[in-house]
Amino acid sequence: MPAPQRVTRAALTDAARAIAERDGIDAVTISAVAAAVGVRAPSLYKHVAHRHDLLRLIADDAARELGEDIAALAGSDEAPAAGLRAIARAFRAFSARSPRSASLLFAGADLSAQPPSEGMAALTATLLGAVRDAAPGDPLPAARTLTAWAHGFCTMEQAGAFQLGGDVDEAFEFGLATLVDALVVRRDTTR
């Protein structure tokens, strides 16, 4: 009898994420992921307690990947406002290539019951740092506003909700410039 196949956390994450992107979040189940990695479902319980753990793996991996995308933008001597625009554009690009994984970044209480993952903590710190450079005072309200706008825009874009014509790229840039300019003006007026 052949030895049972060893399953790694990376293999589980890759399989869960592939299923989510191909078939939707609801298709990510213990059984589906087990089949994708070539084991029986009970074998996964050594790695994950329930389906929410699989979704958490996807969210953590998405945060790590998006954080890497944003880190690749770091180190430039751009003005703080340009950094915020670059972060929003990186989120949009990530959302376009991995829309279902991106949606899990903001999945709510089910995934946030545990402490934030290393990837999510790093992503949050990067965003808060960029906002702190561009906007006054406590960066959290500005970071939440920018994140909510970018996520909402990208969610609508992925759903095909922009049906009134016009250039969606132009609309994204208009909204982004308006929001970032408002944050920067707010900083300039509170000094």
Side-chain angles (χ1 to χ4, degrees):
M1 177 177 244
Q5 182 174 342
R6 294 179 85 49
V7 176
T8 65
R9 192 167 195 83
L12 287 178
T13 301
D14 291 346
R17 195 163 166 187
I19 292 166
E21 294 301 339
R22 183 186 64 237
D23 302 325
I25 299 298
D26 290 343
V28 178
T29 64
I30 296 284
S31 296
V33 173
V37 296
V39 299
R40 294 181 326 125
S43 298
L44 291 192
Y45 291 112
K46 297 173 192 168
H47 303 280
V48 295
H50 44 73
R51 178 177 182 270
H52 288 297
D53 290 343
L54 293 172
L55 299 180
R56 174 78 185 230
L57 288 175
I58 296 169
D60 292 349
D61 193 54
R64 178 204 50 79
E65 184 179 327
L66 179 56
E68 288 173 359
D69 292 351
I70 291 170
L73 304 170
S76 69
D77 291 328
E78 294 184 35
L84 291 180
R85 287 191 289 272
I87 288 171
R89 289 179 188 127
F91 178 77
R92 185 179 184 213
F94 177 76
S95 182
R97 75 175 180 267
S98 299
R100 292 182 171 129
S101 297
S103 73
L104 287 176
L105 288 170
F106 311 106
D110 287 338
L111 300 182
S112 64
Q114 300 173 356
S117 68
E118 192 175 297
M120 186 57 91
L123 181 59
T124 301
T126 299
L127 177 60
L128 289 172
V131 171
R132 190 176 294 111
D133 290 344
D138 181 4
L140 190 55
R144 284 178 171 158
T145 301
L146 180 64
T147 301
W149 174 82
H151 178 62
F153 188 98
C154 294
T155 299
M156 290 179 69
E157 182 176 27
Q158 295 306 316
F162 296 124
Q163 297 294 315
L164 297 177
D167 187 316
V168 176
D169 293 333
E170 185 179 309
F172 180 84
E173 290 301 325
F174 172 82
L176 180 57
T178 301
L179 182 57
V180 170
D181 288 351
L183 293 174
V184 172
V185 165
R186 183 175 158 87
R187 174 188 177 151
D188 291 342
T189 61
T190 60
R191 283 186 178 175

